[in-house]
mmCIF file with all atom_site columns, all heavy atoms in Angstrom:
data_model
loop_
_atom_site.group_PDB
_atom_site.id
_atom_site.type_symbol
_atom_site.label_atom_id
_atom_site.label_alt_id
_atom_site.label_comp_id
_atom_site.label_asym_id
_atom_site.label_entity_id
_atom_site.label_seq_id
_atom_site.pdbx_PDB_ins_code
_atom_site.Cartn_x
_atom_site.Cartn_y
_atom_site.Cartn_z
_atom_site.occupancy
_atom_site.B_iso_or_equiv
_atom_site.pdbx_formal_charge
_atom_site.auth_seq_id
_atom_site.auth_comp_id
_atom_site.auth_asym_id
_atom_site.auth_atom_id
_atom_site.pdbx_PDB_model_num
ATOM 1   N N   . GLU N 1 6   ? -25.096 5.713  58.144 1.00 92.00 ? 6   GLU N N   1
ATOM 2   C CA  . GLU N 1 6   ? -25.850 4.735  57.366 1.00 92.00 ? 6   GLU N CA  1
ATOM 3   C C   . GLU N 1 6   ? -26.882 5.419  56.477 1.00 92.00 ? 6   GLU N C   1
ATOM 4   O O   . GLU N 1 6   ? -27.014 5.112  55.305 1.00 92.00 ? 6   GLU N O   1
ATOM 5   C CB  . GLU N 1 6   ? -26.589 3.798  58.323 1.00 92.00 ? 6   GLU N CB  1
ATOM 6   C CG  . GLU N 1 6   ? -26.088 2.372  58.326 1.00 92.00 ? 6   GLU N CG  1
ATOM 7   C CD  . GLU N 1 6   ? -26.726 1.605  59.472 1.00 92.00 ? 6   GLU N CD  1
ATOM 8   O OE1 . GLU N 1 6   ? -27.975 1.486  59.452 1.00 92.00 ? 6   GLU N OE1 1
ATOM 9   O OE2 . GLU N 1 6   ? -25.983 1.168  60.370 1.00 92.00 ? 6   GLU N OE2 1
ATOM 10  N N   . ARG N 1 10  ? -27.165 5.396  52.489 1.00 95.00 ? 10  ARG N N   1
ATOM 11  C CA  . ARG N 1 10  ? -28.372 4.969  51.780 1.00 95.00 ? 10  ARG N CA  1
ATOM 12  C C   . ARG N 1 10  ? -28.836 6.051  50.803 1.00 95.00 ? 10  ARG N C   1
ATOM 13  O O   . ARG N 1 10  ? -29.189 5.763  49.665 1.00 95.00 ? 10  ARG N O   1
ATOM 14  C CB  . ARG N 1 10  ? -29.483 4.639  52.788 1.00 95.00 ? 10  ARG N CB  1
ATOM 15  C CG  . ARG N 1 10  ? -30.260 3.410  52.376 1.00 95.00 ? 10  ARG N CG  1
ATOM 16  C CD  . ARG N 1 10  ? -31.213 2.888  53.441 1.00 95.00 ? 10  ARG N CD  1
ATOM 17  N NE  . ARG N 1 10  ? -30.697 2.998  54.804 1.00 95.00 ? 10  ARG N NE  1
ATOM 18  C CZ  . ARG N 1 10  ? -31.304 3.678  55.774 1.00 95.00 ? 10  ARG N CZ  1
ATOM 19  N NH1 . ARG N 1 10  ? -32.402 4.347  55.537 1.00 95.00 ? 10  ARG N NH1 1
ATOM 20  N NH2 . ARG N 1 10  ? -30.799 3.708  56.990 1.00 95.00 ? 10  ARG N NH2 1
ATOM 21  N N   . ALA N 1 28  ? -30.635 13.688 29.760 1.00 98.00 ? 28  ALA N N   1
ATOM 22  C CA  . ALA N 1 28  ? -29.249 13.353 29.436 1.00 98.00 ? 28  ALA N CA  1
ATOM 23  C C   . ALA N 1 28  ? -28.854 13.877 28.054 1.00 98.00 ? 28  ALA N C   1
ATOM 24  O O   . ALA N 1 28  ? -27.689 14.173 27.801 1.00 98.00 ? 28  ALA N O   1
ATOM 25  C CB  . ALA N 1 28  ? -29.038 11.850 29.530 1.00 98.00 ? 28  ALA N CB  1
ATOM 26  N N   . CYS N 1 37  ? -20.030 27.706 26.385 1.00 97.00 ? 37  CYS N N   1
ATOM 27  C CA  . CYS N 1 37  ? -19.662 28.970 25.749 1.00 97.00 ? 37  CYS N CA  1
ATOM 28  C C   . CYS N 1 37  ? -19.871 30.112 26.735 1.00 97.00 ? 37  CYS N C   1
ATOM 29  O O   . CYS N 1 37  ? -19.333 31.199 26.556 1.00 97.00 ? 37  CYS N O   1
ATOM 30  C CB  . CYS N 1 37  ? -20.492 29.192 24.490 1.00 97.00 ? 37  CYS N CB  1
ATOM 31  S SG  . CYS N 1 37  ? -22.254 29.396 24.797 1.00 97.00 ? 37  CYS N SG  1
ATOM 32  N N   . ALA N 1 63  ? -22.900 21.370 36.905 1.00 97.00 ? 63  ALA N N   1
ATOM 33  C CA  . ALA N 1 63  ? -22.998 20.800 38.253 1.00 97.00 ? 63  ALA N CA  1
ATOM 34  C C   . ALA N 1 63  ? -23.738 19.462 38.243 1.00 97.00 ? 63  ALA N C   1
ATOM 35  O O   . ALA N 1 63  ? -23.510 18.617 39.088 1.00 97.00 ? 63  ALA N O   1
ATOM 36  C CB  . ALA N 1 63  ? -23.712 21.774 39.188 1.00 97.00 ? 63  ALA N CB  1
ATOM 37  N N   . GLY N 1 76  ? -15.321 10.012 30.573 1.00 98.00 ? 76  GLY N N   1
ATOM 38  C CA  . GLY N 1 76  ? -15.715 10.264 31.957 1.00 98.00 ? 76  GLY N CA  1
ATOM 39  C C   . GLY N 1 76  ? -15.342 9.096  32.853 1.00 98.00 ? 76  GLY N C   1
ATOM 40  O O   . GLY N 1 76  ? -14.910 9.274  33.988 1.00 98.00 ? 76  GLY N O   1
ATOM 41  N N   . ARG N 1 77  ? -15.480 7.907  32.325 1.00 98.00 ? 77  ARG N N   1
ATOM 42  C CA  . ARG N 1 77  ? -15.138 6.718  33.115 1.00 98.00 ? 77  ARG N CA  1
ATOM 43  C C   . ARG N 1 77  ? -13.635 6.525  33.219 1.00 98.00 ? 77  ARG N C   1
ATOM 44  O O   . ARG N 1 77  ? -13.119 6.152  34.271 1.00 98.00 ? 77  ARG N O   1
ATOM 45  C CB  . ARG N 1 77  ? -15.788 5.481  32.491 1.00 98.00 ? 77  ARG N CB  1
ATOM 46  C CG  . ARG N 1 77  ? -17.204 5.229  32.989 1.00 98.00 ? 77  ARG N CG  1
ATOM 47  C CD  . ARG N 1 77  ? -17.648 3.813  32.662 1.00 98.00 ? 77  ARG N CD  1
ATOM 48  N NE  . ARG N 1 77  ? -17.682 3.605  31.212 1.00 98.00 ? 77  ARG N NE  1
ATOM 49  C CZ  . ARG N 1 77  ? -18.789 3.756  30.486 1.00 98.00 ? 77  ARG N CZ  1
ATOM 50  N NH1 . ARG N 1 77  ? -19.906 4.126  31.060 1.00 98.00 ? 77  ARG N NH1 1
ATOM 51  N NH2 . ARG N 1 77  ? -18.751 3.545  29.189 1.00 98.00 ? 77  ARG N NH2 1
ATOM 52  N N   . VAL N 1 97  ? -28.089 20.080 46.131 1.00 98.00 ? 97  VAL N N   1
ATOM 53  C CA  . VAL N 1 97  ? -29.401 20.514 46.619 1.00 98.00 ? 97  VAL N CA  1
ATOM 54  C C   . VAL N 1 97  ? -29.539 22.023 46.444 1.00 98.00 ? 97  VAL N C   1
ATOM 55  O O   . VAL N 1 97  ? -30.523 22.524 45.913 1.00 98.00 ? 97  VAL N O   1
ATOM 56  C CB  . VAL N 1 97  ? -29.606 20.130 48.106 1.00 98.00 ? 97  VAL N CB  1
ATOM 57  C CG1 . VAL N 1 97  ? -30.861 20.777 48.662 1.00 98.00 ? 97  VAL N CG1 1
ATOM 58  C CG2 . VAL N 1 97  ? -29.693 18.620 48.257 1.00 98.00 ? 97  VAL N CG2 1
ATOM 59  N N   . GLY N 1 117 ? -29.438 25.781 22.471 1.00 98.00 ? 117 GLY N N   1
ATOM 60  C CA  . GLY N 1 117 ? -30.886 25.603 22.590 1.00 98.00 ? 117 GLY N CA  1
ATOM 61  C C   . GLY N 1 117 ? -31.201 24.385 23.435 1.00 98.00 ? 117 GLY N C   1
ATOM 62  O O   . GLY N 1 117 ? -32.160 23.658 23.174 1.00 98.00 ? 117 GLY N O   1
ATOM 63  N N   . VAL N 1 130 ? -33.573 13.053 41.193 1.00 98.00 ? 130 VAL N N   1
ATOM 64  C CA  . VAL N 1 130 ? -32.539 12.246 41.843 1.00 98.00 ? 130 VAL N CA  1
ATOM 65  C C   . VAL N 1 130 ? -32.512 12.540 43.347 1.00 98.00 ? 130 VAL N C   1
ATOM 66  O O   . VAL N 1 130 ? -32.517 11.632 44.180 1.00 98.00 ? 130 VAL N O   1
ATOM 67  C CB  . VAL N 1 130 ? -31.160 12.542 41.207 1.00 98.00 ? 130 VAL N CB  1
ATOM 68  C CG1 . VAL N 1 130 ? -30.033 12.000 42.073 1.00 98.00 ? 130 VAL N CG1 1
ATOM 69  C CG2 . VAL N 1 130 ? -31.099 11.972 39.796 1.00 98.00 ? 130 VAL N CG2 1
ATOM 70  N N   . HIS N 1 179 ? -77.271 39.853 43.227 1.00 96.00 ? 179 HIS N N   1
ATOM 71  C CA  . HIS N 1 179 ? -77.853 38.649 42.623 1.00 96.00 ? 179 HIS N CA  1
ATOM 72  C C   . HIS N 1 179 ? -77.846 37.521 43.647 1.00 96.00 ? 179 HIS N C   1
ATOM 73  O O   . HIS N 1 179 ? -76.790 37.020 44.008 1.00 96.00 ? 179 HIS N O   1
ATOM 74  C CB  . HIS N 1 179 ? -77.059 38.220 41.387 1.00 96.00 ? 179 HIS N CB  1
ATOM 75  C CG  . HIS N 1 179 ? -77.311 39.086 40.194 1.00 96.00 ? 179 HIS N CG  1
ATOM 76  N ND1 . HIS N 1 179 ? -78.105 38.702 39.153 1.00 96.00 ? 179 HIS N ND1 1
ATOM 77  C CD2 . HIS N 1 179 ? -76.876 40.332 39.895 1.00 96.00 ? 179 HIS N CD2 1
ATOM 78  C CE1 . HIS N 1 179 ? -78.145 39.661 38.235 1.00 96.00 ? 179 HIS N CE1 1
ATOM 79  N NE2 . HIS N 1 179 ? -77.404 40.680 38.669 1.00 96.00 ? 179 HIS N NE2 1
ATOM 80  N N   . GLU N 1 180 ? -79.021 37.124 44.093 1.00 93.00 ? 180 GLU N N   1
ATOM 81  C CA  . GLU N 1 180 ? -79.119 36.065 45.097 1.00 93.00 ? 180 GLU N CA  1
ATOM 82  C C   . GLU N 1 180 ? -78.544 34.748 44.591 1.00 93.00 ? 180 GLU N C   1
ATOM 83  O O   . GLU N 1 180 ? -78.006 33.954 45.349 1.00 93.00 ? 180 GLU N O   1
ATOM 84  C CB  . GLU N 1 180 ? -80.582 35.851 45.520 1.00 93.00 ? 180 GLU N CB  1
ATOM 85  C CG  . GLU N 1 180 ? -81.069 36.861 46.554 1.00 93.00 ? 180 GLU N CG  1
ATOM 86  C CD  . GLU N 1 180 ? -80.148 36.961 47.761 1.00 93.00 ? 180 GLU N CD  1
ATOM 87  O OE1 . GLU N 1 180 ? -79.710 35.906 48.263 1.00 93.00 ? 180 GLU N OE1 1
ATOM 88  O OE2 . GLU N 1 180 ? -79.837 38.097 48.190 1.00 93.00 ? 180 GLU N OE2 1
ATOM 89  N N   . VAL N 1 215 ? -67.855 35.720 38.009 1.00 98.00 ? 215 VAL N N   1
ATOM 90  C CA  . VAL N 1 215 ? -67.665 35.602 36.559 1.00 98.00 ? 215 VAL N CA  1
ATOM 91  C C   . VAL N 1 215 ? -68.382 34.355 36.025 1.00 98.00 ? 215 VAL N C   1
ATOM 92  O O   . VAL N 1 215 ? -69.069 34.415 35.003 1.00 98.00 ? 215 VAL N O   1
ATOM 93  C CB  . VAL N 1 215 ? -66.157 35.570 36.219 1.00 98.00 ? 215 VAL N CB  1
ATOM 94  C CG1 . VAL N 1 215 ? -65.922 35.139 34.778 1.00 98.00 ? 215 VAL N CG1 1
ATOM 95  C CG2 . VAL N 1 215 ? -65.534 36.940 36.479 1.00 98.00 ? 215 VAL N CG2 1
ATOM 96  N N   . THR N 1 233 ? -52.831 23.292 42.508 1.00 98.00 ? 233 THR N N   1
ATOM 97  C CA  . THR N 1 233 ? -51.363 23.213 42.515 1.00 98.00 ? 233 THR N CA  1
ATOM 98  C C   . THR N 1 233 ? -50.910 21.761 42.561 1.00 98.00 ? 233 THR N C   1
ATOM 99  O O   . THR N 1 233 ? -51.695 20.853 42.799 1.00 98.00 ? 233 THR N O   1
ATOM 100 C CB  . THR N 1 233 ? -50.761 23.948 43.738 1.00 98.00 ? 233 THR N CB  1
ATOM 101 O OG1 . THR N 1 233 ? -51.066 23.232 44.930 1.00 98.00 ? 233 THR N OG1 1
ATOM 102 C CG2 . THR N 1 233 ? -51.316 25.357 43.836 1.00 98.00 ? 233 THR N CG2 1
ATOM 103 N N   . PRO N 1 281 ? -50.614 14.175 31.554 1.00 97.00 ? 281 PRO N N   1
ATOM 104 C CA  . PRO N 1 281 ? -50.743 13.033 30.641 1.00 97.00 ? 281 PRO N CA  1
ATOM 105 C C   . PRO N 1 281 ? -49.467 12.193 30.595 1.00 97.00 ? 281 PRO N C   1
ATOM 106 O O   . PRO N 1 281 ? -49.536 10.963 30.475 1.00 97.00 ? 281 PRO N O   1
ATOM 107 C CB  . PRO N 1 281 ? -51.020 13.704 29.290 1.00 97.00 ? 281 PRO N CB  1
ATOM 108 C CG  . PRO N 1 281 ? -51.687 14.991 29.654 1.00 97.00 ? 281 PRO N CG  1
ATOM 109 C CD  . PRO N 1 281 ? -51.019 15.449 30.925 1.00 97.00 ? 281 PRO N CD  1
ATOM 110 N N   . THR N 1 320 ? -50.484 46.621 33.728 1.00 98.00 ? 320 THR N N   1
ATOM 111 C CA  . THR N 1 320 ? -49.544 45.801 32.970 1.00 98.00 ? 320 THR N CA  1
ATOM 112 C C   . THR N 1 320 ? -49.767 44.342 33.324 1.00 98.00 ? 320 THR N C   1
ATOM 113 O O   . THR N 1 320 ? -50.612 44.018 34.162 1.00 98.00 ? 320 THR N O   1
ATOM 114 C CB  . THR N 1 320 ? -48.087 46.233 33.226 1.00 98.00 ? 320 THR N CB  1
ATOM 115 O OG1 . THR N 1 320 ? -47.231 45.528 32.305 1.00 98.00 ? 320 THR N OG1 1
ATOM 116 C CG2 . THR N 1 320 ? -47.642 45.905 34.649 1.00 98.00 ? 320 THR N CG2 1
ATOM 117 N N   . LEU N 1 327 ? -46.945 29.081 32.794 1.00 98.00 ? 327 LEU N N   1
ATOM 118 C CA  . LEU N 1 327 ? -48.175 29.290 32.035 1.00 98.00 ? 327 LEU N CA  1
ATOM 119 C C   . LEU N 1 327 ? -47.858 29.665 30.591 1.00 98.00 ? 327 LEU N C   1
ATOM 120 O O   . LEU N 1 327 ? -48.511 29.212 29.653 1.00 98.00 ? 327 LEU N O   1
ATOM 121 C CB  . LEU N 1 327 ? -48.992 30.415 32.682 1.00 98.00 ? 327 LEU N CB  1
ATOM 122 C CG  . LEU N 1 327 ? -50.318 30.756 32.000 1.00 98.00 ? 327 LEU N CG  1
ATOM 123 C CD1 . LEU N 1 327 ? -51.341 29.670 32.293 1.00 98.00 ? 327 LEU N CD1 1
ATOM 124 C CD2 . LEU N 1 327 ? -50.831 32.110 32.459 1.00 98.00 ? 327 LEU N CD2 1
ATOM 125 N N   . PRO N 1 336 ? -54.786 34.510 25.590 1.00 98.00 ? 336 PRO N N   1
ATOM 126 C CA  . PRO N 1 336 ? -56.101 34.664 26.225 1.00 98.00 ? 336 PRO N CA  1
ATOM 127 C C   . PRO N 1 336 ? -56.139 35.788 27.256 1.00 98.00 ? 336 PRO N C   1
ATOM 128 O O   . PRO N 1 336 ? -57.051 36.622 27.252 1.00 98.00 ? 336 PRO N O   1
ATOM 129 C CB  . PRO N 1 336 ? -56.329 33.298 26.885 1.00 98.00 ? 336 PRO N CB  1
ATOM 130 C CG  . PRO N 1 336 ? -55.571 32.348 26.022 1.00 98.00 ? 336 PRO N CG  1
ATOM 131 C CD  . PRO N 1 336 ? -54.345 33.105 25.595 1.00 98.00 ? 336 PRO N CD  1
ATOM 132 N N   . ARG N 1 376 ? -32.127 34.946 48.334 1.00 97.00 ? 376 ARG N N   1
ATOM 133 C CA  . ARG N 1 376 ? -31.806 34.960 46.905 1.00 97.00 ? 376 ARG N CA  1
ATOM 134 C C   . ARG N 1 376 ? -33.070 35.165 46.087 1.00 97.00 ? 376 ARG N C   1
ATOM 135 O O   . ARG N 1 376 ? -33.073 35.874 45.078 1.00 97.00 ? 376 ARG N O   1
ATOM 136 C CB  . ARG N 1 376 ? -31.119 33.655 46.503 1.00 97.00 ? 376 ARG N CB  1
ATOM 137 C CG  . ARG N 1 376 ? -30.692 33.657 45.051 1.00 97.00 ? 376 ARG N CG  1
ATOM 138 C CD  . ARG N 1 376 ? -29.919 32.416 44.645 1.00 97.00 ? 376 ARG N CD  1
ATOM 139 N NE  . ARG N 1 376 ? -28.676 32.278 45.372 1.00 97.00 ? 376 ARG N NE  1
ATOM 140 C CZ  . ARG N 1 376 ? -28.312 31.170 46.029 1.00 97.00 ? 376 ARG N CZ  1
ATOM 141 N NH1 . ARG N 1 376 ? -29.117 30.124 46.032 1.00 97.00 ? 376 ARG N NH1 1
ATOM 142 N NH2 . ARG N 1 376 ? -27.182 31.119 46.671 1.00 97.00 ? 376 ARG N NH2 1
ATOM 143 N N   . VAL N 1 430 ? -65.459 44.954 36.513 1.00 97.00 ? 430 VAL N N   1
ATOM 144 C CA  . VAL N 1 430 ? -66.108 45.718 35.437 1.00 97.00 ? 430 VAL N CA  1
ATOM 145 C C   . VAL N 1 430 ? -67.404 45.058 34.948 1.00 97.00 ? 430 VAL N C   1
ATOM 146 O O   . VAL N 1 430 ? -67.990 45.498 33.970 1.00 97.00 ? 430 VAL N O   1
ATOM 147 C CB  . VAL N 1 430 ? -65.169 45.956 34.227 1.00 97.00 ? 430 VAL N CB  1
ATOM 148 C CG1 . VAL N 1 430 ? -63.935 46.728 34.664 1.00 97.00 ? 430 VAL N CG1 1
ATOM 149 C CG2 . VAL N 1 430 ? -64.786 44.648 33.553 1.00 97.00 ? 430 VAL N CG2 1
#
Side-chain angles (χ1 to χ4, degrees):
Chain N
E6 248 170 62
R10 220 170 323 121
C37 65
R77 273 196 298 265
V97 171
V130 166
H179 285 257
E180 279 308 316
V215 167
T233 70
T320 189
L327 180 74
R376 183 176 298 128
V430 300

